[in-house]
Amino acid sequence: MIIPRAIPASLVLALLALLVLAPMAGLLHLSALPGYEPGDLRFWESAYLRRVLFFSIWQAVLSTLFSVLPAILVARAFAMQPDLPLRRLLLGLFALPLVVPGVVVVMGVVSVYGSDGWLPMGRSLYGINGILLAHVFFNLPLAVRLLLPLWQVIPQHHWQLGEQLGMNAWQRFRFIEWPMLRETLPGVLLLVFMLCLTSFAVVLTLGGGPRSTTVEVAIYQSLRFDFDPARAVMLALLQLGLCMLVAMLTLKFQRMPEVEIAISAPYRSRRSTLSSVVNLLLIGAATLYVGLPLLSLLIDALQGPFFKMVTSSQLWQAFANTLFIGMSAALLSVLAGWFLLQYSASLARQGRVTGARVVELAGSIVYVIPPLVIATGMFVLLSPHVDVFDWVYPIVIAINALMGLPFVVRCLGPSMRQSHARYHRLCLSLDLQGWNRFRFIEWPLLRRPLGLAIALVAVLAMGDLGVIALFGSTQTATLPLMIYQQLGAYLISQATVTALLLLLLCLAVFALLERGIGGKPDVAN
Amino acid sequence: MHSVLPRVAAGLASFLLCFSLQAATPNLVVYTYDSFISDWGPGPKVKAAFEATCNCTLELVGLSDGVAMLNRLKLEGDNSRADLLLGIDTNLTAEARSSGLFYAHELSLQSSALPDPWQDDLFLPYDFGYFAFVYNKEKLASPPTSLRQLVDDSDGPTLLIQDPRTSTPGLGLLLWIKKIYGDKADQAWAQLSPRIVTVSKGWSEAYGLFLKGEADMVLSYTTSPAYHMIAEQDLRFAAARFEEGHYQQIEVAGMVRSSQQKELARRFLAFMISEDFQKIIPTTNWMYPVVGGQAVLPPEFDQLIDPAPALLLDETSVAEQRKNWVEEWLEVMSR
Amino acid sequence: MLLIEDLQFDYSAEPASNMHFDLSVEDGEVLSLIGPSGSGKSTLLSLIAGFLSAQRGRIVLDNNELQALPVAERPVSIVFQQHNLFPHLDLYTNVALGINPSLRLLPAQIDAVRDALARLGLAKMQRRKPAELSGGQRQRVALARALVRRRKILLLDEAFAALGPAMRAELLDLVKTLVGEHNMTALLISHQPSDALIASTRTAFICEGRVSMLAPTAELLAAAAPPELRDYLGSQ
């Protein structure tokens, strides 16, 4: 039996809507009940809201540009140096910043740039500088990982022609690389924008004070401090609307590729020493930038009570929880993303490009509804019927899977579209359907991006603090929550040890998943 | 293929059931904040000590903080599993009281260590502390001796504080300044503002930054130096004593109205204000115990500053004015 | 005249993969290269174009040594089977890139681009994108670019393999004419012996990294030896 692609995808979309809209409805309903003060309507016209909105957008736009533009250069440098020693290790390092809890990043950034740091910046660290430093630390490596595979799809003949025609570096970029970047860049920009827009602890702490309040903070304040669920929901919708607007803008700029894309071996041209030196400098600078805060963490952790801690059962319980939540969320997220992208790719193949984009966008954009809103709303809906404590794992996993979807869409989307465009007819003619089609066609073609997607979502979910902090207690605590609890109890050196353990776990999981699922790197990426 | 799914679901369900299975002995559920129940918090010792006498199971459920606990309880209403709530402070008691979700404890707290006699029919305190600015004696030779000196001296020490919207000490400082300056609090904040390095989300970020050397002083508790003395044998840290006195934080517990085990819950509250519970507090929660006096305090606590006079605004005016005061603060600090 | 002398290239340490070429191509000649897959035909073209560097030997055009020249400075144009054009650029731009990748063209150069497109029958399609063209038209654009480059050596790496027989014959004729007109030196890789008959007076059979036989095309195609040649032709 053939199940039309639209059915599982609609199911996923419906589930997404349910997961996001139902909690918001629950919260709105709550605020209509007697006993809750109606929200202060003046708030919507207040200078405070305007300031918060302006600041959120401003810092997010700056952070995005400072992360993604250098990332293009760094990814390009990596692509041009396929034989670089330790290349895989460096790229593994680039997957780490994503999982470091915000408070640990703040400490790392301060270790490097603080007044007693290695590269002291003094008071000027606090404000937009600190925010940018931390956001670029998070997002530049992510953007590098997402952009790097693009160089692999450039036909080798284009490089050879470029060389024969005597193109300089700029012309090569303009005629060969840019057209291909243009398809993927908007999605990466949107993703990084969303990540920066919803940043919270980093912005507040490094931002120097309430001048640096984002919409995310305002939502937190509405729900926690003022307990005004209606306002929280409205702010969340405002944030969603803002992202939709940005999505429209980025999509306008996007061009679907006009050429059949080849998977080629990296082109090893006889490049000049100058360009090699520039590439190595770029890679070195990026590695230092990403590595220094991590190194400071490592140094702190090695001075910590390492051996005393590894005997703690609570630590290993948290370790197991982290692994369990991360893996489950990654599988769920990739499964949901797979169905969505299959549908989107088949729409794109039929020329319904707008439809395809809307489906992908729906999968990505739910990210900006703060977990606090979803979790509180879910709690409102569930608590009259079930004991929410029994549902900690399913809820935390589901929300983390939701938060992972934009990454799945980013990693897997372009390859899925290409595979559809190239092989759909062939598969039809060979009557390759369902499992067989997956086994023989999609798995071998898509396992690399699939491996990256699963690995990314797994480490992201393992690093999650926003969701687990709302539900976790000691039995369900994860390593990030434990770090946060330790920091809250003077146990700073223990926290750094836990953080190191989390990083090592993430590095191992990332490498295993990416290599295990993605396969051996026969073509470097 | 068809038979696998239900089996997996059944397995999962029984797995989940394990968590909620009621033991034969009564199960007393206490909502508290999660640092209370961590390995290094009071939780494990409290659980062991109480279970040794009560013939029951004490289930400590950790939530992120007092606000989360109270919101959770409000959302659950009468369906809540909680018998007790432990870990809100006096800034939240008015709101908790008006929720109508709590039940009178009918216990009395005599000869407490609190500066003022305790009179509250719904909530009982289990520890308390004072907010203070902590500094490193090797780096700051002459710390300010009063809040006014701190505010007035434009060349004074740089500060790390927390956001009153997201953090208990942050709100504490807001109230402290309100208590001293009254209507002129906004001017005091304006004077302080240039020396505030940053305003963090929670206590841990600010304290971590302080230990990294980012500012001269950090907003914390008078008892913070005791941690460094006892746990790290580090004598460098001290809290600055301010003449005007220090703002107080009192942490309390209360019985939940819908509890089916009020007798047992009351026994827990009685245990909570006994010496067995109180002696656990100083070196796990790093706060002052409410009863027991010197007998339950480690000697290092003698070296801490005397925070008198204790400052506290009454809970009703805090509940009524908090929003306005925070807005005023936001306005000044955002300039 | 293009001279290839004692040109050696190793893909890897295995002796079986060693290539070793000796060859000469006259001015105005289209020399066809036939031979099994992996025999080294494309490697030879890459060595001439400079995409690969030989370990030993010489490539000489009219007494000028090419080996030391960077790719862009070699008097070479190449046309591949696919990916010759940049898909986001129109035909005019794709051809203009052959003169100057900065696209800053003198009026005379602009005329040269137009003339080349006209010569290949694409005068009315200047503003089209490659995706709007047929396969044969795309290869014409690539040839037009090779024309405007005015380089002596033209390399055709299975350039017409994906086209139908009639289109192939037409383009091969065209190549032969253009090479004659501009006095170029062309090397043509093809898998169709019939292509060699159309385009080339002489044909080389490449086998295991060597020029196994070089003879007038008809003679080579009819030859009884070497056995690899018979196997190759027999399998066609």
Side-chain angles (χ1 to χ4, degrees), chain A residues 338-350:
Chain A
W338 180 272
F339 290 126
L340 273 189
L341 290 170
Q342 284 271 3
Y343 183 48
S344 155
S346 77
L347 286 178
R349 179 176 44 75
Q350 293 157 22

Side-chain angles (χ1 to χ4, degrees), chain A residues 245-300:
Chain A
L245 213 67
V246 173
M248 308 283 181
L249 280 176
T250 54
L251 285 179
K252 249 192 136 48
F253 165 85
Q254 184 178 32
R255 292 280 178 282
M256 293 284 179
E258 297 168 54
V259 72
E260 193 176 284
I261 281 163
I263 303 268
S264 25
Y267 177 52
R268 289 175 172 75
S269 77
R270 302 182 303 174
R271 220 161 280 286
S272 70
T273 11
L274 178 67
S275 79
S276 289
V277 167
V278 170
N279 285 339
L280 291 179
L281 280 178
L282 276 169
I283 292 173
T287 306
L288 269 184
Y289 188 82
V290 174
L292 281 181
L294 295 175
L295 182 68
S296 80
L297 175 69
L298 180 72
I299 291 172
D300 285 349

Side-chain angles (χ1 to χ4, degrees), chain A residues 216-243:
Chain A
E216 191 87 357
V217 178
I219 294 173
Y220 184 92
Q221 183 189 352
S222 304
L223 211 48
R224 293 290 309 278
F225 189 76
D226 303 334
F227 208 70
D228 185 345
R231 188 206 281 179
V233 170
M234 298 313 276
L235 282 169
L237 289 174
L238 183 71
Q239 184 152 293
L240 187 70
L242 188 63
C243 277

Side-chain angles (χ1 to χ4, degrees), chain A residues 373-414:
Chain A
V373 170
I374 300 181
T376 313
M378 273 191 166
F379 192 85
V380 172
L381 293 176
L382 290 177
S383 68
H385 311 293
V386 296
D387 188 338
V388 178
F389 286 106
D390 296 341
W391 290 82
V392 170
Y393 283 114
I395 292 175
V396 169
I397 289 169
I399 301 182
N400 270 309
L402 189 78
M403 299 286 141
L405 261 186
F407 295 86
V408 179
V409 168
R410 225 39 297 131
C411 294
L412 201 52

Side-chain angles (χ1 to χ4, degrees), chain A residues 151-492:
Chain A
W151 271 267
Q152 196 192 315
V153 299
I154 295 178
Q156 186 165 3
H157 287 166
H158 280 181
W159 292 119
Q160 293 179 333
L161 279 174
E163 215 179 340
Q164 183 168 84
L165 298 176
M167 292 184 182
N168 59 28
W170 162 243
Q171 288 158 348
R172 274 200 304 275
F173 180 76
R174 177 177 162 201
F175 294 123
I176 302 177
E177 296 161 275
W178 175 243
M180 165 266 335
L181 270 171
R182 225 180 140 163
E183 190 217 352
T184 305
L185 206 53
V188 175
L189 284 169
L190 178 64
L191 180 64
V192 173
F193 178 82
M194 294 199 302
L195 288 170
C196 296
L197 187 70
T198 54
S199 169
F200 184 167
V202 165
V203 171
L204 207 54
T205 303
L206 288 176
R211 268 180 303 271
S212 309
T213 293
T214 56
V215 179
E216 191 87 357
V217 178
I219 294 173
Y220 184 92
Q221 183 189 352
S222 304
L223 211 48
R224 293 290 309 278
F225 189 76
D226 303 334
F227 208 70
D228 185 345
R231 188 206 281 179
V233 170
M234 298 313 276
L235 282 169
L237 289 174
L238 183 71
Q239 184 152 293
L240 187 70
L242 188 63
C243 277
M244 297 248 237
L245 213 67
V246 173
M248 308 283 181
L249 280 176
T250 54
L251 285 179
K252 249 192 136 48
F253 165 85
Q254 184 178 32
R255 292 280 178 282
M256 293 284 179
E258 297 168 54
V259 72
E260 193 176 284
I261 281 163
I263 303 268
S264 25
Y267 177 52
R268 289 175 172 75
S269 77
R270 302 182 303 174
R271 220 161 280 286
S272 70
T273 11
L274 178 67
S275 79
S276 289
V277 167
V278 170
N279 285 339
L280 291 179
L281 280 178
L282 276 169
I283 292 173
T287 306
L288 269 184
Y289 188 82
V290 174
L292 281 181
L294 295 175
L295 182 68
S296 80
L297 175 69
L298 180 72
I299 291 172
D300 285 349
L302 290 179
Q303 293 164 352
F306 208 83
F307 294 101
K308 202 178 123 203
M309 284 194 59
V310 292
T311 55
S312 148
S313 68
Q314 236 180 33
L315 181 80
W316 294 109
Q317 176 71 51
F319 189 90
N321 286 341
T322 308
L323 198 60
F324 173 65
I325 289 176
M327 298 306 288
S328 316
L331 285 177
L332 191 61
S333 193
V334 166
L335 198 67
W338 180 272
F339 290 126
L340 273 189
L341 290 170
Q342 284 271 3
Y343 183 48
S344 155
S346 77
L347 286 178
R349 179 176 44 75
Q350 293 157 22
R352 291 158 66 187
V353 179
T354 313
R357 283 173 181 167
V358 167
V359 172
E360 282 193 11
L361 191 59
S364 309
I365 206 146
V366 286
Y367 180 87
V368 299
I369 304 287
L372 180 68
V373 170
I374 300 181
T376 313
M378 273 191 166
F379 192 85
V380 172
L381 293 176
L382 290 177
S383 68
H385 311 293
V386 296
D387 188 338
V388 178
F389 286 106
D390 296 341
W391 290 82
V392 170
Y393 283 114
I395 292 175
V396 169
I397 289 169
I399 301 182
N400 270 309
L402 189 78
M403 299 286 141
L405 261 186
F407 295 86
V408 179
V409 168
R410 225 39 297 131
C411 294
L412 201 52
S415 321
M416 183 83 95
R417 232 181 359 252
Q418 285 155 27
S419 137
H420 251 263
R422 293 174 85 180
Y423 298 111
H424 180 70
R425 287 197 190 139
L426 186 63
C427 288
L428 279 187
S429 71
L430 296 173
D431 198 25
L432 271 173
Q433 296 285 355
W435 173 241
N436 280 337
R437 175 160 172 179
F438 176 79
R439 197 158 49 134
F440 296 126
I441 309 295
E442 284 159 343
W443 171 251
L445 280 173
L446 297 177
R447 58 186 292 190
R448 288 192 66 77
L450 200 65
L452 181 61
I454 289 194
L456 262 183
V457 180
V459 294
L460 268 172
M462 291 198 301
D464 159 72
L465 186 60
V467 184
I468 191 72
L470 301 171
F471 288 100
S473 57
T474 33
Q475 298 88 25
T476 49
T478 58
L479 291 173
L481 186 60
M482 199 168 176
I483 294 168
Y484 204 78
Q485 291 173 354
Q486 284 165 334
L487 285 174
Y490 295 101
L491 304 173
I492 292 169

